[in-house]
Amino acid sequence: MHITLQCLAVKAQNALSHKYVVAKDIKVDKFMHQFQLSDQTIMDISLRFRREMDKGLCRDTNPTAVVKMLPTYVHSTPDGTEQGEFLALDLGGSNFRVLLVRVMGNGEQKVEMENQIYDIPEHIMRGSGSKLFDHVADCLANFLEKKGMKNKKLPLGFTFSFPCQQTKLDESFLLSWTKGFKSSGVEGKDVVSLLRKSIEKRGCIMNYSGIICLGTGTNACYMEHMRNIELLDGDEGRMCINTEWGAFGDDGALEDIRTEIDRELDAGSLNSGNQLFEKMVSGMYQGELVRLILVKMAREHLMFKGKTTPGLLTTGHFLTSYIYDIDTEKLEGLASTEKVLRGLDLDPTAEDCKATRRVCHIISKRAAHLCAATLVALLRQIRDNKAAEKLRTTIGVDGSVYKNHNAFSRRLNKMVRRLVPDCDVRFLLSQHGSSKGAAMVTAVAFRFAAQQAERQRILDTLRLSRQQLLEVKRRMSEQMLRGLSKQTHEQSSLKMLPTYVRSTPDGTEHGDFLALDLGGSSFRVLLVRIESGERNNVDMHHKIYSIPQEFMQGTGDELFSHIVTCIADFLEYMGMRGASLPLGFTFSFPCHQSKLDEGILLQWTKGFKASGCEGQDVVTLLKEATRCKGEFDLSFVAVVNDTVGTMMTCGYEDCQCEVGLIVGTGTNICYMEEMQNVELVEGDDGRMCVNMEWGAFGENGELDDFCTKFDQEVDEFSNYPGKQRYEKMISGMYLGEIVRNVLIEFTAKGLLFRGKDPERLRTRGIFETKFLSQIESDRLAMRQIRSILQHLGLTGSTCDDSVLVKEVCAVVSRRAAQLCGAGLAAVVEKIRQSRNLNQLSVTVGVDGTLYKRHPHFSSIMQETLQDLAPQCQVTFHKSEDGSGKGAALITAVACRMDRCGQEI
């Protein structure tokens, strides 16, 4: 009976003890509940941080933003070709490292490092800035002397892990000290200059590349699109942004999740009110948070029987490294907990050890989840920039907490993947990240600078100075005079062909007219109805027909028979089968005319090679094919160059239009010349439209000193080598090929596509000129340019490649527009001088896809013209269907004047 009662007493005592422990655990959990964050809260914090990022990137809101989103001026990442020896200096805590980094290039991607750690005494950390940087320079000199490199000058990558405002890669102004530093005279100063001065005192000058890297606190950087960085000019490419996210919450954005413990820790810190996010996340503060919680819980009799010790009450005595050993699922965790607590002179129970583990677990988990929330905001920004449904990316991670606390890294990774399931994220642990990274940034900067210099050297061959453009204008003017002269006409590259068009519409023209527009691999047949008495009263119908390659390259009979068949089809389509109408024949190839209804083909261009046509009258060829077909008749055929048609169309709307310009697949120009200067035609009265055929300018060597190897390659592989040299530098048929040849050169030199030669880039004609217009569009983001390149089969292209391709396109198209502007300046100056005018006011009618669709061609051409011909006031009038409507108008004017017995 006595034994039974004793057992019952023991059981009751155990039950009471268990009830006490459970109650105590509940109180501990209740106390720690304030540190636990739901998934919804974490997502909300992520959204808050995204808004803070936007504020930091915006020019207007950046001054008041706490997340500064600082540009680092790092535009590129390693591509494996970097090589050489570099020094790295890693300053971000109470000690710093100096490293010698050897980078092996040539595809080895091997890095060798030697380093030494130096202490920074506390009196230097809190003394003057000059003493701090003198101490760093002394240590650097000591390191070089030990390595036998005292007098060797090496590039230096400087990791300065404090909030800085960078204005360029080698200039960085300290915004505020953190991490216990208080050196005077440094905040607001360029730390690179301060370091340089200290180094120069020792007679050693080096090169610098300032960067911001992760240190004992917490921070993150990412590659942002330049168009989103309003603090900087330029919107092409990307730049690494240092978020300085440790300051997140300094404006109160995190007050609803900060606890009394967080506020107590902040109040006791050296920078109270600042870096609030960092104080909830980083390794510098996690141990102190746990200590403050243990003190609070002890005082509330939740732990240690309500007792505290001097060790527990001393700031900094609970190290963050203790959490790494305590917060683990392994059994050693309890033993480690007891050891740590006893080291603080506490006498913990098993329940105290469990509670301490619970505290460490929750604080570490909160830190990991907060870090995940801000990291997710960065990932969403990157994904949105790329407009990708699913983002695949790698995050480089460094820092003692992530590396040494396995549970922290696991929780961070898991929460990131849970919050952004549409992002395939890989975490890559950095080895010597801030130090090796500083050296790699320096290596990339040197590689990038060398590559950029080589790129610019190549592109400079495609850039024209004002003096060169004036020389082009002078030579064009000289060839115009030679082409107009009967004596020198045959020797001139500009044939200055008379068109026999001597009048423009007066508004009385009327009737139905056919127009045939032939100038490429497709052509149009048009019916144009003109009503008299009112300008702009023109009604048009048309159909487009293709010309198969076999007709373009076959015989003349086959080509013109195909054209007549298409005209017959069009008349039947319009319900006018068997009609007899006058026809304006826009024949956009070099012709010699002795009258309006005759055109002797001088040579084929634009890929045509039909035999039996050169030297023949194309009107006769067309009429003969019509006679053979026998389905309709042509009462009159006027041969019209497309430039003349353009001028006439615009002249119908603007009586000052006396120049017609085409800048499309090909390029040409016509203008109204004084008859006294047109020596090939008799008579000195009035004016005549002269078709310059200026695409041939340069065939006598006038452009040789402006032509590049890329122009020569285009010419060599064209249908007519040595011909149409000016056209091959300007027109849409060739600009894409020039760009392609430049890209091949860049790739061969390792300046593009990482030196990997895409097979598709070797295909002639693959880079069409329309891609230049698309790529140079101001509305097109880099990802869309990359999409165009991928469409072309250039699948390995990067954002940096896209930036460079856009630059190449811009240089090539700018040169084309400037050359066109220089030529046009020669034309309008010729008109002004022929009329003995001090100031000329004239309109230029313009047509052609390059002029109309390229986003910058027209403005650059007009700027060049204004600069080179300041005495000419030129208005530009875009032609609407000059080669169709204009041809009909010329024919209508001819018929009107024929009825009146006048010469057109």
Side-chain angles (χ1 to χ4, degrees):
M1 187 65 178
H2 175 71
I3 295 173
T4 301
L5 289 172
Q6 190 175 30
C7 289
L8 288 172
V10 169
K11 285 183 179 180
Q13 185 177 357
N14 288 343
L16 286 170
S17 177
H18 176 70
K19 187 174 182 181
Y20 172 77
V21 169
V22 170
K24 191 174 182 181
D25 285 347
I26 291 172
K27 289 181 179 180
V28 168
D29 283 346
K30 186 177 180 180
F31 182 88
M32 292 304 298
H33 180 73
Q34 60 188 314
F35 295 94
Q36 294 178 297
L37 306 174
S38 68
D39 283 5
Q40 185 58 46
T41 300
I42 295 167
M43 180 57 78
D44 182 58
I45 292 167
S46 182
L47 295 174
R48 293 183 209 176
F49 184 70
R50 182 73 180 272
R51 289 193 291 270
E52 292 297 326
M53 288 172 62
D54 291 340
K55 286 172 66 177
L57 288 171
C58 177
R59 182 181 284 108
D60 295 336
T61 53
N62 175 268
T64 58
V66 292
V67 179
K68 287 300 181 185
M69 305 297 285
L70 303 173
T72 66
Y73 295 85
V74 174
H75 289 275
S76 185
T77 51
D79 68 0
T81 63
E82 295 79 12
Q83 57 184 335
E85 290 184 320
F86 304 89
L87 285 172
L89 178 59
D90 184 4
L91 176 62
S94 58
N95 55 46
F96 69 97
R97 285 196 304 167
V98 181
L99 297 92
L100 174 64
V101 182
R102 294 184 180 90
V103 183
M104 317 298 180
N106 302 320
E108 292 185 35
Q109 293 183 294
K110 184 179 177 183
V111 178
E112 295 177 351
M113 294 190 297
E114 301 175 60
N115 74 89
Q116 185 167 339
I117 296 175
Y118 295 90
D119 289 329
I120 304 179
E122 189 167 343
H123 72 278
I124 291 179
M125 289 173 65
R126 302 194 178 194
S128 69
S130 59
K131 287 185 178 180
L132 170 64
F133 286 101
D134 285 348
H135 174 68
V136 171
D138 286 338
C139 296
L140 188 58
N142 173 266
F143 179 80
L144 289 171
E145 191 167 356
K146 286 182 178 180
K147 299 299 176 185
M149 304 174 74
K150 185 177 180 181
N151 298 316
K152 193 167 184 178
K153 294 179 181 178
L154 296 175
L156 172 65
F158 183 20
T159 303
F160 191 69
S161 302
F162 302 92
C164 286
Q165 176 72 55
Q166 280 188 268
T167 54
K168 48 188 177 180
L169 195 59
D170 58 354
E171 187 174 78
S172 193
F173 295 88
L174 177 65
L175 298 178
S176 61
W177 282 117
T178 57
K179 306 171 189 177
F181 278 74
K182 287 282 186 179
S183 297
S184 62
V186 182
E187 291 183 349
K189 300 291 181 62
D190 173 22
V191 295
V192 175
S193 294
L194 295 174
L195 178 60
R196 182 179 281 116
K197 287 177 184 176
S198 293
I199 290 173
E200 288 173 356
K201 288 180 188 177
R202 284 141 189 81
C204 180
I205 302 175
M206 300 176 192
N207 297 307
Y208 301 86
S209 290
I211 62 165
I212 307 295
C213 296
L214 297 174
T216 52
T218 181
N219 196 8
C221 66
Y222 73 104
M223 296 302 289
E224 178 61 88
H225 285 235
M226 284 292 293
R227 69 176 184 274
N228 296 331
I229 308 173
E230 294 186 9
L231 301 175
L232 303 178
D233 293 330
D235 58 1
E236 295 175 3
R238 299 182 299 168
M239 181 182 286
C240 182
I241 287 292
N242 163 34
T243 65
E244 285 296 343
W245 72 9
F248 178 38
D250 288 4
D251 59 351
L254 297 176
E255 280 309 298
D256 57 327
I257 65 166
R258 291 180 71 224
T259 66
E260 289 303 318
I261 299 295
D262 292 306
R263 295 183 178 92
E264 184 180 346
L265 180 145
D266 175 52
S269 67
L270 292 171
N271 58 343
S272 180
N274 296 318
Q275 300 296 107
L276 297 184
F277 181 73
E278 182 173 83
K279 288 169 184 174
M280 300 171 76
V281 170
S282 79
M284 191 170 186
Y285 300 100
Q286 284 186 40
E288 184 62 10
L289 280 171
V290 170
R291 187 192 69 81
L292 291 173
I293 291 169
L294 295 183
V295 170
K296 181 78 170 174
M297 292 175 71
R299 286 172 175 168
E300 292 186 9
H301 292 274
L302 296 176
M303 296 180 69
F304 313 128
K305 298 177 182 179
K307 296 179 181 178
T308 59
T309 65
L312 182 62
L313 295 174
T314 303
T315 300
H317 269 211
F318 198 103
L319 305 179
T320 299
S321 58
Y322 295 164
I323 298 176
Y324 308 158
D325 297 326
I326 292 173
D327 183 26
T328 174
E329 294 177 0
K330 296 180 181 178
L331 293 174
E332 302 92 81
L334 276 176
S336 297
T337 306
E338 184 177 359
K339 182 180 177 181
V340 167
L341 295 177
R342 291 193 182 281
L344 298 173
D345 298 324
L346 292 164
D347 183 21
T349 64
E351 286 74 24
D352 290 333
C353 291
K354 288 179 182 178
T356 301
R357 286 186 73 186
R358 181 75 175 147
V359 170
C360 290
H361 168 86
I362 291 173
I363 290 301
S364 173
K365 183 178 180 181
R366 184 183 74 156
H369 287 180
L370 285 172
C371 195
T374 47
L375 192 54
V376 162
L378 297 187
L379 291 171
R380 290 188 181 279
Q381 177 79 355
I382 295 169
R383 186 198 61 190
D384 292 349
N385 285 342
K386 294 184 176 182
E389 290 184 9
K390 187 173 180 67
L391 174 70
R392 295 187 64 185
T393 192
T394 298
I395 299 172
V397 195
D398 202 356
S400 55
V401 173
Y402 189 91
K403 283 183 173 180
N404 299 324
H405 189 189
N406 292 333
F408 179 94
S409 57
R410 188 173 63 252
R411 289 168 189 143
L412 171 64
N413 300 1
K414 185 176 180 181
M415 180 54 73
V416 166
R417 293 186 174 107
R418 189 193 307 172
L419 295 180
V420 278
D422 49 356
C423 294
D424 184 3
V425 182
R426 174 175 173 248
F427 290 85
L428 183 63
L429 196 61
S430 170
Q431 299 298 326
H432 311 292
S434 56
S435 309
K436 177 182 173 182
M440 289 308 302
V441 168
T442 310
V444 168
F446 269 67
R447 185 260 302 164
F448 187 78
Q451 288 183 334
Q452 187 66 2
E454 178 63 9
R455 290 183 189 117
Q456 295 311 312
R457 185 193 67 77
I458 294 170
L459 290 178
D460 280 347
T461 66
L462 290 156
R463 293 186 172 107
L464 298 174
S465 66
R466 185 175 188 273
Q467 198 58 42
Q468 288 174 310
L469 292 169
L470 282 169
E471 183 60 20
V472 171
K473 174 191 170 185
R474 188 193 68 77
R475 295 180 190 181
M476 177 76 78
S477 299
E478 184 180 90
Q479 290 302 312
M480 288 174 71
L481 293 174
R482 291 171 62 85
L484 288 169
S485 170
K486 189 178 291 186
Q487 287 185 325
T488 56
H489 172 80
E490 292 300 327
Q491 289 78 46
S492 175
S493 60
L494 295 177
K495 293 308 177 187
M496 308 298 288
L497 304 172
T499 65
Y500 294 85
V501 172
R502 298 180 61 181
S503 181
T504 53
D506 67 1
T508 65
E509 296 79 14
H510 64 279
D512 288 351
F513 304 88
L514 283 175
L516 174 60
D517 178 11
L518 176 62
S521 57
S522 63
F523 70 98
R524 290 184 307 157
V525 183
L526 304 93
L527 174 66
V528 182
R529 288 195 168 101
I530 304 173
E531 296 183 21
S532 63
E534 186 180 344
R535 287 182 181 270
N536 302 321
N537 199 355
V538 177
D539 186 32
M540 296 191 296
H541 303 272
H542 77 275
K543 277 187 77 173
I544 297 174
Y545 297 89
S546 63
I547 304 178
Q549 192 75 13
E550 60 265 26
F551 292 145
M552 291 174 65
Q553 307 284 332
T555 68
D557 289 342
E558 292 170 335
L559 174 62
F560 281 93
S561 177
H562 174 67
I563 291 169
V564 168
T565 299
C566 294
I567 295 174
D569 174 78
F570 177 74
L571 288 171
E572 185 156 356
Y573 169 75
M574 294 301 299
M576 302 176 68
R577 183 177 181 180
S580 177
L581 296 172
L583 179 138
F585 187 8
T586 302
F587 190 70
S588 304
F589 302 91
C591 286
H592 173 73
Q593 283 186 270
S594 57
K595 49 187 178 179
L596 187 59
D597 59 351
E598 179 185 85
I600 308 299
L601 176 62
L602 299 178
Q603 68 178 42
W604 283 119
T605 57
K606 306 174 186 176
F608 279 75
K609 278 193 173 183
S611 62
C613 296
E614 290 182 352
Q616 300 297 312
D617 174 20
V618 294
V619 173
T620 300
L621 294 174
L622 180 63
K623 283 188 171 182
E624 182 61 26
T626 303
R627 187 187 62 78
C628 291
K629 188 73 174 174
E631 293 189 14
F632 62 92
D633 191 22
L634 300 174
S635 61
F636 175 81
V637 178
V639 178
V640 181
N641 182 271
D642 52 358
T643 55
V644 184
T646 294
M647 183 186 74
M648 293 294 274
T649 300
C650 295
Y652 190 63
E653 300 168 7
D654 182 345
C655 60
Q656 280 197 311
C657 183
E658 296 187 78
V659 181
L661 172 64
I662 300 288
V663 192
T665 305
T667 183
N668 194 14
I669 197 168
C670 70
Y671 72 103
M672 296 301 290
E673 178 60 271
E674 304 302 307
M675 275 298 295
Q676 62 191 10
N677 296 330
V678 186
E679 296 184 9
L680 298 180
V681 179
E682 293 183 3
D684 292 339
D685 296 333
R687 296 168 184 162
M688 180 178 285
C689 182
V690 171
N691 165 27
M692 286 180 57
E693 287 296 340
W694 78 352
F697 178 53
E699 289 183 9
N700 291 342
E702 299 93 345
L703 295 172
D704 284 358
D705 46 344
F706 304 120
C707 283
T708 67
K709 60 184 289 187
F710 311 113
D711 298 303
Q712 290 162 4
E713 287 170 9
V714 168
D715 180 52
E716 181 183 345
F717 291 101
S718 67
N719 285 333
Y720 298 97
K723 304 293 185 182
Q724 301 294 105
R725 298 305 300 272
Y726 189 57
E727 182 172 80
K728 288 171 183 172
M729 299 173 77
I730 291 179
S731 76
M733 189 168 187
Y734 302 101
L735 295 189
E737 268 300 279
I738 297 173
V739 168
R740 188 183 69 84
N741 284 325
V742 176
L743 299 185
I744 289 174
E745 174 86 355
F746 276 8
T747 305
K749 289 181 176 290
L751 307 175
L752 185 66
F753 304 134
R754 304 201 175 190
K756 296 175 183 177
D757 187 1
E759 188 65 31
R760 289 267 291 174
L761 199 57
R762 293 282 173 186
T763 306
R764 288 192 188 91
I766 188 177
F767 206 101
E768 299 174 44
T769 299
K770 69 177 182 181
F771 294 132
L772 270 76
S773 299
Q774 293 172 6
I775 287 171
E776 290 188 65
S777 170
D778 295 328
R779 298 187 300 272
L780 208 62
M782 282 299 129
R783 66 174 181 270
Q784 293 167 297
I785 296 175
R786 191 175 175 188
S787 177
I788 291 171
L789 296 179
Q790 290 172 342
H791 173 72
L792 290 170
L794 309 176
T795 53
S797 60
T798 64
C799 183
D800 291 339
D801 291 331
S802 298
V803 173
L804 184 52
V805 169
K806 183 171 184 176
E807 184 179 10
V808 173
C809 291
V811 169
V812 170
S813 62
R814 181 176 184 81
R815 184 188 68 158
Q818 288 178 322
L819 283 170
C820 193
L824 185 54
V827 173
V828 295
E829 275 291 303
K830 177 68 172 67
I831 297 173
R832 186 186 68 80
Q833 291 169 9
S834 294
R835 300 178 189 179
N836 296 315
L837 297 173
N838 182 52
Q839 194 78 20
L840 172 71
S841 181
V842 69
T843 296
V844 176
V846 198
D847 204 350
T849 53
L850 185 59
Y851 182 90
K852 287 183 173 180
R853 296 181 185 175
H854 191 280
H856 308 298
F857 189 97
S858 61
S859 60
I860 295 170
M861 185 192 79
Q862 291 170 26
E863 287 167 10
T864 306
L865 170 64
Q866 187 175 9
D867 181 44
L868 302 185
Q871 291 175 270
C872 299
Q873 183 66 40
V874 182
T875 302
F876 289 85
H877 191 120
K878 285 185 183 178
S879 168
E880 296 302 327
D881 200 19
S883 55
K885 179 180 174 181
L889 282 168
I890 291 172
T891 309
V893 170
C895 292
R896 167 176 61 83
M897 298 190 74
D898 183 57
R899 287 193 298 269
C900 297
Q902 297 175 318
E903 183 182 7
I904 184 173

